[in-house]
């Protein structure tokens, strides 16, 4: 099969990667040093626990609906220790039943998961703070998000420019040539985990960082037919440049420290 294949799937992606490797054997390779590997393992484990906690909360809310709908404070609040303590007291005050016992077990499980998740987040903070001060200084980049970005990037030095990094992150604009006007469409390629991080940062900055809102407004003003989604994509592309520069700076500082230690 020599022609291009339509669509996107694991076999198609694997074939495309194999062809690229044959055409250009000197392509830079992804590499995770020990710290970056630890960050990736910890973030993956934390995410699995968060997913588990969400499932447990959903099961708890199903029981609360039958026990007493007023006890259901919503998914977000059911992760808080005070809410869980209040809920435990309220459940103990209800008549004895199998559903009440199950609800109490689920509350205890959520509390245990909270402790595990908190422990992993503290571990991530201890690892990420010394190696990514510039990245962490960006508004909207938490220790968890920074760890995820570093783990998914697998070495910022392998990208020759911010444009190459944007293509990897799926934020590079894709031009549409079939229309009579210049326009771009959503890039559905790239690393979707990185793209999710950039989306989360963009939403946070639009809510809490005036320069991000100013950038969006300026971009929209110069394009009369721009949509809200297009403006968000432009902001994510702009943030990609910022993150690329921050990670490059942190990598340089880290290398200088290693050279001095040697």
């Amino acid at each position: 099969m020599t022609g291009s294949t339509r669509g996107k799937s694991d076999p198609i992606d694997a074939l495309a990667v194999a062809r690229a490797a044959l055409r250009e054997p000197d392509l830079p390779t992804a590499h995770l040093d020990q710290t970056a590997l630890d960050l990736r393992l910890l973030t993956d484990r934390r995410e699995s626990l968060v997913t588990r906690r969400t499932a447990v909360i959903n099961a708890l809310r199903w029981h609360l609906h039958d026990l007493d709908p007023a006890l259901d404070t919503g998914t977000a609040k059911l992760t808080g220790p005070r809410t869980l303590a209040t809920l435990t007291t309220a459940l103990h005050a209800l008549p004895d039943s199998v559903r009440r016992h199950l609800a109490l077990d689920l509350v205890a499980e959520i509390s245990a998961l909270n402790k595990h998740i908190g422990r992993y987040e503290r571990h991530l903070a201890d690892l990420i703070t010394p190696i990514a001060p510039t990245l962490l200084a960006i508004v909207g980049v938490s220790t968890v998000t920074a760890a995820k970005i570093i783990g998914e990037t697998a070495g910022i030095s392998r990208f020759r420019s911010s444009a190459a990094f944007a293509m990897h992150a799926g934020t590079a604009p894709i031009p549409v040539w079939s229309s009579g006007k210049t326009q771009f469409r959503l890039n559905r390629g790239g690393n979707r985990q990185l793209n999710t991080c950039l989306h989360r940062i963009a939403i946070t900055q639009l809510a809490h960082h005036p320069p991000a809102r100013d950038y969006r407004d300026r971009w929209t003003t110069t394009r009369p037919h721009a949509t809200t989604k297009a403006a968000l994509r432009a902001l994510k592309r702009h943030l990609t440049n910022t993150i690329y520069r921050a990670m490059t700076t942190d990598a340089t500082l880290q290398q200088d420290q290693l050279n001095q230690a040697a």
Side-chain angles (χ1 to χ4, degrees):
M1 182 168 56
T2 58
S4 60
T5 306
R6 293 180 59 85
K8 179 175 174 58
S9 66
D10 288 343
I12 292 174
D13 289 346
L15 181 60
V17 170
R19 287 172 174 168
L22 289 174
R23 287 195 305 267
E24 301 184 43
D26 296 329
L27 284 173
T29 58
H31 172 70
L32 288 170
D33 60 28
Q34 189 58 53
T35 302
L37 177 59
D38 290 343
L39 290 172
R40 186 160 184 170
L41 292 173
L42 288 169
T43 53
D44 288 346
R45 175 57 178 163
R46 176 191 170 276
E47 287 177 358
S48 68
L49 291 175
V50 171
T51 300
R52 172 59 184 165
R53 183 178 63 182
T54 301
V56 176
I57 289 174
N58 290 337
L60 173 62
R61 295 185 67 189
W62 180 68
H63 289 302
L64 293 179
H65 178 76
D66 279 351
L67 288 169
D68 184 357
L71 296 177
D72 185 1
T73 57
T75 300
K77 291 185 177 181
L78 283 174
T79 60
R82 290 185 179 180
T83 300
L84 292 175
T86 302
L87 179 58
T88 299
T89 302
L91 288 171
H92 279 297
L94 295 177
D96 188 27
S97 68
V98 170
R99 193 179 293 279
R100 191 197 71 161
H101 283 291
L102 291 175
L104 286 169
D105 285 343
L106 292 171
V107 170
E109 186 173 355
I110 294 170
S111 297
L113 287 169
N114 283 343
K115 293 178 181 179
H116 289 311
I117 292 169
R119 186 173 68 250
Y120 282 115
E121 289 176 350
R122 289 189 294 273
H123 195 172
L124 284 170
D126 291 340
L127 289 177
I128 197 70
T129 301
I131 67 171
T134 313
L135 180 60
L136 287 169
I138 299 173
V139 175
V141 179
S142 65
T143 54
V144 173
T145 301
K148 185 71 173 179
I149 291 173
I150 291 176
E152 293 295 333
T153 299
I156 193 64
S157 60
R158 68 189 178 101
F159 298 100
R160 64 183 182 275
S161 65
S162 60
F165 181 60
M167 184 61 72
H168 175 69
T171 59
I174 304 297
V176 179
W177 304 112
S178 59
S179 63
K181 59 182 179 180
T182 303
Q183 58 181 351
F184 299 88
R185 66 171 176 83
L186 174 66
N187 185 345
R188 300 184 186 279
N191 186 308
R192 305 318 296 172
Q193 296 292 325
L194 267 178
N195 195 279
T196 299
C197 290
L198 287 161
H199 183 84
R200 189 180 300 118
I201 296 168
I203 295 300
T204 301
Q205 289 202 357
L206 287 175
H208 304 288
H209 193 47
R213 294 194 293 270
D214 292 342
Y215 176 89
R216 178 199 59 188
D217 295 341
R218 289 196 308 272
W219 190 90
T220 305
T221 301
T222 58
R223 297 162 178 81
H225 302 291
T227 63
T228 302
K229 289 184 178 180
L232 180 60
R233 290 199 297 269
L235 177 59
K236 287 168 64 175
R237 178 63 183 87
H238 175 70
L239 284 171
T240 305
N241 291 341
T242 303
I243 289 173
Y244 175 81
R245 290 193 297 267
M247 294 183 70
T248 301
T249 299
D250 288 335
T252 301
L253 292 174
Q254 192 176 6
Q255 186 60 49
D256 290 343
Q257 292 172 358
L258 291 175
N259 292 338
Q260 292 176 2

